[in-house]
Amino acid sequence: MFTSGFFMYVFVSSFTPGPNNIMSMNNASKFGFANTVRFVLGAASGFFLIALLCGLFNVLLLEYIPAAGGVMNGLGCLYMLFLAYAIATSKPGKEGEARELNSFRAGVILQFLNAKGILYALSAFSAFVLPFDDSWGTLFLTAFILGGTAVLSAGSWALFGGVFNRFLNRHRRSFQAVMALMLVYGAVSVYL
Protein backbone atom coordinates (compact mmCIF):
# COMPACT_ATOMS: atom_id res chain seq x y z
CA MET A 1 0.00 0.00 0.00
CA PHE A 2 2.38 2.79 1.15
CA THR A 3 5.18 1.57 -1.08
CA SER A 4 8.08 3.50 -2.55
CA GLY A 5 6.02 3.73 -5.76
CA PHE A 6 3.21 5.42 -3.84
CA PHE A 7 5.56 7.96 -2.30
CA MET A 8 7.31 8.62 -5.63
CA TYR A 9 3.94 9.21 -7.29
CA VAL A 10 2.85 11.54 -4.48
CA PHE A 11 6.14 13.47 -4.60
CA VAL A 12 6.20 13.94 -8.38
CA SER A 13 2.49 14.79 -8.60
CA SER A 14 2.68 17.26 -5.71
CA PHE A 15 5.86 19.13 -6.58
CA THR A 16 5.37 19.56 -10.34
CA PRO A 17 3.84 22.83 -11.56
CA GLY A 18 0.11 22.99 -11.05
CA PRO A 19 -2.42 25.58 -9.94
CA ASN A 20 -1.53 25.28 -6.22
CA ASN A 21 2.18 25.65 -6.71
CA ILE A 22 2.01 28.39 -9.33
CA MET A 23 -0.48 30.44 -7.30
CA SER A 24 1.63 29.95 -4.16
CA MET A 25 4.76 31.22 -5.89
CA ASN A 26 2.92 34.11 -7.54
CA ASN A 27 1.27 35.18 -4.28
CA ALA A 28 4.54 35.00 -2.36
CA SER A 29 6.33 37.05 -5.01
CA LYS A 30 3.71 39.80 -4.51
CA PHE A 31 2.99 39.63 -0.80
CA GLY A 32 5.91 37.70 0.71
CA PHE A 33 6.08 34.21 2.14
CA ALA A 34 4.48 35.03 5.51
CA ASN A 35 1.41 36.58 3.86
CA THR A 36 1.00 33.56 1.58
CA VAL A 37 0.91 30.95 4.34
CA ARG A 38 -2.88 31.31 4.63
CA PHE A 39 -3.28 30.45 0.93
CA VAL A 40 -0.93 27.46 1.29
CA LEU A 41 -2.90 26.20 4.32
CA GLY A 42 -6.17 26.71 2.46
CA ALA A 43 -4.88 24.79 -0.55
CA ALA A 44 -3.66 21.94 1.67
CA SER A 45 -6.92 21.85 3.67
CA GLY A 46 -8.98 21.85 0.49
CA PHE A 47 -6.82 19.12 -0.97
CA PHE A 48 -7.18 17.02 2.19
CA LEU A 49 -10.99 17.29 1.78
CA ILE A 50 -10.80 16.42 -1.92
CA ALA A 51 -8.51 13.47 -1.22
CA LEU A 52 -10.81 12.18 1.51
CA LEU A 53 -13.85 12.51 -0.76
CA CYS A 54 -11.98 10.76 -3.56
CA GLY A 55 -11.10 7.93 -1.22
CA LEU A 56 -14.61 7.61 0.17
CA PHE A 57 -16.36 7.78 -3.17
CA ASN A 58 -13.66 6.37 -5.46
CA VAL A 59 -15.69 3.45 -6.74
CA LEU A 60 -18.74 5.62 -7.40
CA LEU A 61 -16.69 8.36 -9.05
CA LEU A 62 -14.84 5.91 -11.27
CA GLU A 63 -18.19 4.65 -12.50
CA TYR A 64 -19.19 8.20 -13.51
CA ILE A 65 -15.82 9.54 -14.67
CA PRO A 66 -16.56 9.11 -18.38
CA ALA A 67 -19.66 11.32 -18.01
CA ALA A 68 -18.50 13.68 -15.25
CA GLY A 69 -14.84 13.70 -16.22
CA GLY A 70 -15.39 16.07 -19.12
CA VAL A 71 -17.36 18.51 -16.97
CA MET A 72 -14.74 18.47 -14.19
CA ASN A 73 -11.93 18.86 -16.72
CA GLY A 74 -13.77 21.75 -18.35
CA LEU A 75 -14.40 23.55 -15.06
CA GLY A 76 -10.82 22.98 -13.94
CA CYS A 77 -9.43 24.24 -17.24
CA LEU A 78 -11.63 27.32 -17.20
CA TYR A 79 -10.50 28.11 -13.66
CA MET A 80 -6.83 27.66 -14.59
CA LEU A 81 -7.35 29.95 -17.59
CA PHE A 82 -9.02 32.51 -15.31
CA LEU A 83 -6.01 32.33 -12.96
CA ALA A 84 -3.65 32.69 -15.93
CA TYR A 85 -5.54 35.79 -17.06
CA ALA A 86 -5.55 37.22 -13.51
CA ILE A 87 -1.80 36.70 -13.19
CA ALA A 88 -0.97 38.01 -16.66
CA THR A 89 -3.04 41.18 -16.33
CA SER A 90 -2.46 42.09 -12.67
CA LYS A 91 -0.77 45.41 -12.14
CA PRO A 92 1.36 46.46 -9.16
CA GLY A 93 -1.19 49.05 -8.02
CA LYS A 94 -4.19 46.72 -8.40
CA GLU A 95 -3.66 44.59 -5.31
CA GLY A 96 -7.30 44.17 -4.19
CA GLU A 97 -8.12 41.46 -6.74
CA ALA A 98 -4.77 39.76 -6.20
CA ARG A 99 -5.29 39.73 -2.42
CA GLU A 100 -8.58 37.89 -2.91
CA LEU A 101 -6.62 35.14 -4.70
CA ASN A 102 -4.21 34.99 -1.73
CA SER A 103 -6.64 33.83 0.94
CA PHE A 104 -7.43 30.64 2.81
CA ARG A 105 -10.81 30.53 1.05
CA ALA A 106 -9.24 30.90 -2.42
CA GLY A 107 -6.86 28.03 -1.60
CA VAL A 108 -9.74 25.76 -0.57
CA ILE A 109 -11.94 26.68 -3.55
CA LEU A 110 -9.05 26.09 -5.94
CA GLN A 111 -9.00 22.41 -4.94
CA PHE A 112 -12.60 21.82 -5.92
CA LEU A 113 -11.85 23.10 -9.43
CA ASN A 114 -8.37 21.61 -9.72
CA ALA A 115 -8.76 18.79 -12.26
CA LYS A 116 -5.10 17.79 -11.82
CA GLY A 117 -5.56 17.42 -8.06
CA ILE A 118 -8.79 15.47 -8.34
CA LEU A 119 -7.36 13.06 -10.90
CA TYR A 120 -4.18 12.74 -8.82
CA ALA A 121 -6.15 11.84 -5.68
CA LEU A 122 -8.41 9.43 -7.57
CA SER A 123 -5.46 7.62 -9.10
CA ALA A 124 -3.49 7.53 -5.84
CA PHE A 125 -6.38 5.79 -4.10
CA SER A 126 -7.34 3.48 -6.96
CA ALA A 127 -3.79 2.36 -7.79
CA PHE A 128 -2.01 2.33 -4.44
CA VAL A 129 -4.54 2.15 -1.59
CA LEU A 130 -7.94 0.62 -2.29
CA PRO A 131 -6.63 -2.63 -3.79
CA PHE A 132 -5.04 -3.34 -0.38
CA ASP A 133 -7.19 -1.67 2.26
CA ASP A 134 -10.39 0.35 2.26
CA SER A 135 -10.72 0.92 6.01
CA TRP A 136 -11.67 4.37 7.33
CA GLY A 137 -8.30 4.69 9.04
CA THR A 138 -6.38 4.01 5.85
CA LEU A 139 -8.55 6.41 3.84
CA PHE A 140 -8.03 9.15 6.42
CA LEU A 141 -4.27 8.48 6.70
CA THR A 142 -3.87 8.57 2.93
CA ALA A 143 -5.81 11.84 2.67
CA PHE A 144 -3.64 13.23 5.48
CA ILE A 145 -0.46 12.21 3.63
CA LEU A 146 -1.71 13.83 0.41
CA GLY A 147 -2.77 17.01 2.25
CA GLY A 148 0.52 17.14 4.14
CA THR A 149 2.46 16.79 0.93
CA ALA A 150 0.38 19.65 -0.51
CA VAL A 151 1.58 21.88 2.37
CA LEU A 152 5.19 20.96 1.61
CA SER A 153 4.94 21.45 -2.15
CA ALA A 154 2.91 24.68 -2.16
CA GLY A 155 5.00 25.96 0.76
CA SER A 156 8.22 25.25 -1.15
CA TRP A 157 6.96 27.10 -4.21
CA ALA A 158 5.80 29.99 -1.99
CA LEU A 159 9.20 30.09 -0.28
CA PHE A 160 10.85 30.32 -3.70
CA GLY A 161 8.54 33.18 -4.64
CA GLY A 162 9.20 34.96 -1.33
CA VAL A 163 12.99 34.54 -1.42
CA PHE A 164 13.27 35.81 -4.97
CA ASN A 165 10.69 38.55 -4.38
CA ARG A 166 12.93 41.47 -5.44
CA PHE A 167 14.17 39.66 -8.54
CA LEU A 168 10.66 38.59 -9.50
CA ASN A 169 9.27 42.09 -8.96
CA ARG A 170 12.07 43.58 -11.09
CA HIS A 171 11.11 41.18 -13.86
CA ARG A 172 7.41 41.19 -13.02
CA ARG A 173 6.00 41.19 -16.56
CA SER A 174 8.22 38.32 -17.70
CA PHE A 175 7.50 36.37 -14.53
CA GLN A 176 3.75 36.91 -14.90
CA ALA A 177 3.90 35.80 -18.54
CA VAL A 178 5.79 32.61 -17.64
CA MET A 179 3.42 31.79 -14.75
CA ALA A 180 0.35 32.48 -16.92
CA LEU A 181 1.75 30.28 -19.71
CA MET A 182 2.42 27.49 -17.20
CA LEU A 183 -1.21 27.65 -16.10
CA VAL A 184 -2.39 27.66 -19.72
CA TYR A 185 -0.17 24.64 -20.36
CA GLY A 186 -1.66 22.95 -17.29
CA ALA A 187 -5.17 23.61 -18.60
CA VAL A 188 -4.32 22.32 -22.07
CA SER A 189 -2.42 19.27 -20.77
CA VAL A 190 -5.62 17.96 -19.16
CA TYR A 191 -6.79 17.21 -22.70
CA LEU A 192 -3.48 15.86 -24.04
Side-chain angles (χ1 to χ4, degrees):
M1 176 170 54
F2 296 126
T3 63
S4 60
F6 169 79
F7 286 109
M8 180 63 69
Y9 178 69
V10 168
F11 178 81
V12 170
S13 296
S14 296
F15 281 87
T16 53
N20 297 340
N21 296 337
I22 292 170
M23 287 301 295
S24 295
M25 185 168 69
N26 185 65
N27 289 341
S29 74
K30 288 182 177 186
F31 308 112
F33 178 77
N35 291 323
T36 303
V37 169
R38 65 182 167 262
F39 175 83
V40 170
L41 293 176
S45 298
F47 192 70
F48 169 78
L49 291 172
I50 285 295
L52 193 56
L53 289 172
C54 286
L56 293 171
F57 301 109
N58 196 36
V59 174
L60 180 63
L61 289 174
L62 287 175
E63 184 178 325
Y64 291 106
I65 278 198
V71 173
M72 289 305 297
N73 285 347
L75 289 173
C77 290
L78 286 174
Y79 190 69
M80 284 189 270
L81 292 173
F82 164 74
L83 293 176
Y85 174 78
I87 288 172
T89 60
S90 70
K91 303 204 180 339
K94 206 175 173 186
E95 297 298 316
E97 291 175 14
R99 284 196 191 282
E100 288 180 23
L101 296 176
N102 187 33
S103 65
F104 184 87
R105 182 173 52 109
V108 171
I109 290 170
L110 174 61
Q111 301 320 301
F112 288 88
L113 299 172
N114 181 356
K116 176 191 174 199
I118 293 169
L119 293 175
Y120 155 50
L122 282 171
S123 59
F125 277 101
S126 64
F128 296 105
V129 179
L130 295 179
F132 305 103
D133 189 359
D134 63 356
S135 69
W136 284 92
T138 300
L139 295 177
F140 187 83
L141 178 60
T142 304
F144 185 78
I145 290 169
L146 298 179
T149 306
V151 168
L152 296 175
S153 64
S156 297
W157 281 69
L159 184 61
F160 177 81
V163 167
F164 293 103
N165 188 357
R166 285 190 195 126
F167 174 81
L168 294 173
N169 282 332
R170 230 179 302 137
H171 303 284
R172 182 180 58 80
R173 298 301 295 162
S174 299
F175 172 72
Q176 287 175 298
V178 169
M179 292 299 101
L181 287 173
M182 288 175 77
L183 279 169
V184 169
Y185 173 76
V188 171
S189 69
V190 169
Y191 292 103
L192 298 179

